[in-house]
Amino acid sequence: MSKKKIIIINGPNLNLLGKREPEIYGHQTFEQYFEVLKDKFSDKVDLVYFQSNHEGVLIDKIHEIGFSYDGIVLNAGAFTHTSIALADAIAGVKTPVVEVHISNVHKREEFRHHSYISKNSIGIIIGFGLRGYDFAIQTFL
């Protein structure tokens, strides 16, 4: 049985995990947690990580892998609430997407309650911290 190809794509400001608002996002960097995920899923998944603060770069990455990977785990950050273009990119590819949010966005500012990404995702994982990425990967297995 071949390994599944799954990519985790993080959007703007998620490169600051471990430093940014630790009361919301915790003290662990994503790179540290990614090593945990790679170890946990190494026998089943070829796991790749990509992060950008730029909307067009995220769209380009989705276009690049969106017909060849088995799954996309996407935390689009603030673009979740603003980017119709990112939603259209997801709708335009064949690879299924699971939307992830570290915090419970519904306990935060009202503008975070709407997602343009959700309607084009197969599911949403919200509010479980970094473990949400683990849960999202499991949906593709």
Side-chain angles (χ1 to χ4, degrees):
M1 184 173 171
S2 64
K3 289 184 178 183
K4 301 256 184 178
K5 287 181 74 172
I6 298 174
I7 187 169
I8 296 171
I9 300 177
N10 276 342
N13 301 309
L14 291 164
N15 57 305
L16 296 178
L17 288 175
K19 298 175 189 171
R20 172 189 177 206
E21 301 173 280
E23 66 281 0
I24 296 173
Y25 299 106
H27 295 280
Q28 191 172 32
T29 68
F30 192 80
E31 289 76 11
Q32 291 167 332
Y33 191 67
F34 185 64
E35 292 303 316
V36 171
L37 293 172
K38 284 195 314 187
D39 288 344
K40 180 173 182 175
F41 294 105
S42 64
D43 60 330
K44 299 175 188 156
V45 175
D46 180 14
L47 194 58
V48 177
Y49 173 55
F50 181 80
Q51 189 277 329
S52 179
N53 293 316
H54 304 281
E55 182 179 29
V57 173
L58 295 169
I59 292 167
D60 288 344
K61 180 55 79 172
I62 290 168
H63 290 175
E64 175 189 328
I65 56 89
F67 296 92
S68 58
Y69 275 58
D70 297 300
I72 299 171
V73 176
L74 176 63
N75 183 340
F79 290 141
T80 301
H81 319 293
T82 63
S83 181
I84 295 167
L86 198 53
D88 285 350
I90 295 165
V93 298
K94 298 289 185 200
T95 301
V97 173
V98 173
E99 179 182 348
V100 171
H101 298 284
I102 297 167
S103 67
N104 182 345
V105 294
H106 298 289
K107 285 185 158 186
R108 299 185 63 195
E109 303 92 339
E110 190 169 331
F111 73 87
R112 296 185 194 276
H113 298 180
H114 179 265
S115 168
Y116 285 103
I117 307 301
S118 296
K119 78 177 208 108
N120 298 323
S121 300
I122 61 169
I124 309 161
I125 300 169
I126 297 173
F128 289 96
L130 293 175
R131 291 179 304 157
Y133 293 92
D134 183 322
F135 302 153
I137 292 166
Q138 291 181 49
T139 66
F140 295 115
L141 301 181

